[in-house]
Amino acid sequence: MIRRELNGVHHCPAPRECRHLALTLLILHHGVSFHFTLSLVSSNNTMRRVVRQSKFRHVFGQAVKNDQCYDDIRVSRVTWDSSFCAVNPRFVAIIIEASGGGAFLVLPLHKTGRIDKSYPTVCGHTGPVLDIDWCPHNDQVIASGSEDCTVMVWQIPENGLTLSLTEPVVILEGHSKRVGIVAWHPTARNVLLSAGCDNAIIIWNVGTGEALINLDDMHSDMIYNVSWNRNGSLICTASKDKKVRVIDPRKQEIIAEKEKAHEGARPMRAIFLADGNVFTTGFSRMSERQLALWNPKNMQEPIALHEMDTSNGVLLPFYDPDTSIIYLCGKGDSSIRYFEITDESPYVHYLNTFSSKEPQRGMGYMSKRGLDVNRCEIARFFKLHERKCEPIIMTVPRKSDLFQDDLYPDTAGPEAALEAEEWFEGKNADPILISLKYGYIPGKNRDLKVVKKNILDNKPTANKKCDLISAPKKTADTTGVQNEAKLDEILKEIKSIKDTICNQDERISKLEQQMAKIAA
Ligand SMILES: *[C@@H]1O[C@H](CO)[C@@H](O)[C@H](O)[C@H]1NC(C)=O
Ligand SMILES: *[C@@H]1O[C@H](CO)[C@@H](O)[C@H](O)[C@H]1NC(C)=O
């Protein structure tokens, strides 16, 4: 009977393993309640039964009510497969359409409802914004990468924007083509990575505005995705050349790579998991969407490889290291599928699918610190429609009012474990963990201070032409002249300050003498 039912499943919404869903449903229909799932792998008609227990079995998704959405937002239409949305416990940021430049919105989370056309934006880029990322160590700081070839870092006022923000804290220049990826280091303060269509990865010390590592000879084609590992000692990348690479950025060394991780020509994604394995999504030669799991120590064969379906959209993975759940959001899909990763075969276990009617243009993912633990919320997504952003809440159904510490192991907190300098010198550190028991704990929000190491190097060259040709990075002769003029100016200023100090010194000693006389 089971066989017949299985053969009757035509539209499998997920990888082959999901057939266990049909089976579970079937069993439930027959009045038996199970606390474990049956996983069936049914290649060439042999079936293997795996009994697996999981507390995430019944996680379900739910969109919030209409009045808790953000409405009337013109979500960006640039053709770039980024998520267009970044969320932290205070703000949701969304890349939007902007005429003659690039812009994104930053809304305090509670600012739901209709967003007025005149609502202020972050609009300092001269070309469309392609990617944004909140700093994990400061909820007021966000980085953006743009078609204008620059990376900018912004300080958002405590309560959000009241005026449009055109001045970044720092402009990071070094890419010769558009910058499609920005990603903060998970544990070192002020370390930011960017990747551009010049196939280069640059790692910046944002505190000094310096590009300290430039990996410009490792990728022969466009970089689709970059991910830091848990302690930020390594990165992995997925590239248009179909390779997945694991890179030690400070040694500037590729330590593992896999050619044709997925054989199809369409975009791949690669992210590091907490245990050091790499999870990828991509397409097969027959254009089926695939997901795979790799051990960087042996990339020959994947630990697991699953085929999903034949849709077109790139599968964006969102990963929770605390629960080991991966959520896959296909661009243009209307569903979120989620999987639990364990070290037992088949390693990637299908859990369930959240389905809705409308396709997603992009997706934001709340950091763990921003979840409502009292409702057993274990993930929150911010789904971008064409003109609105709709939060979707994933919950573990439980009845208790007590803090569920098995659902919420300590999670990465807002404190940086290292300073940028320490990381560049070779130190590593895991994230500093916090308990979620008492809800949201704001970080110490200091202002981002940028102290340029080399004050002569801080003027952005305006209107740099960069899009098509990889022009030499600096026009040396003109900047040389400008720099000399600037140096003169600074020397003059120093001299006048010196003079002032001398005068003040004299005055003070005179006053001191007078004081001494009066006291005597
Ligand atoms: C890599 O892809 C995942 C899923 O789209 C995304 O969450 C992450 O931000 C991407 N990383 C970068 C650096 O683009
Ligand atoms: C950082 O992670 C790497 C790779 O997983 C590991 O080899 C290394 O020991 C870790 N370092 C620290 C200090 O945790």
Side-chain angles (χ1 to χ4, degrees), residues 217-231:
D217 56 357
M218 289 190 173
H219 296 85
S220 51
D221 211 332
M222 180 148 51
I223 300 163
Y224 286 136
N225 197 210
V226 184
S227 163
W228 293 97
N229 69 347
R230 176 91 168 150
N231 68 20

Side-chain angles (χ1 to χ4, degrees), residues 160-175:
L161 299 173
T162 48
L163 289 172
S164 279
L165 192 57
T166 54
E167 285 297 318
V169 185
V170 63
I171 303 177
L172 305 171
E173 289 180 295
H175 286 287

Side-chain angles (χ1 to χ4, degrees), residues 229-234 272 274-276 427-430:
N229 69 347
R230 176 91 168 150
N231 68 20
S233 63
L234 303 173
F272 258 119
D275 61 5
K427 276 201 190 139
N428 294 320
D430 278 335

Side-chain angles (χ1 to χ4, degrees), residues 501-513:
I501 292 175
C502 283
N503 291 339
Q504 301 284 30
D505 256 358
E506 261 172 51
R507 259 191 80 200
I508 289 172
S509 62
K510 266 187 203 154
L511 285 172
E512 274 173 350
Q513 283 166 12

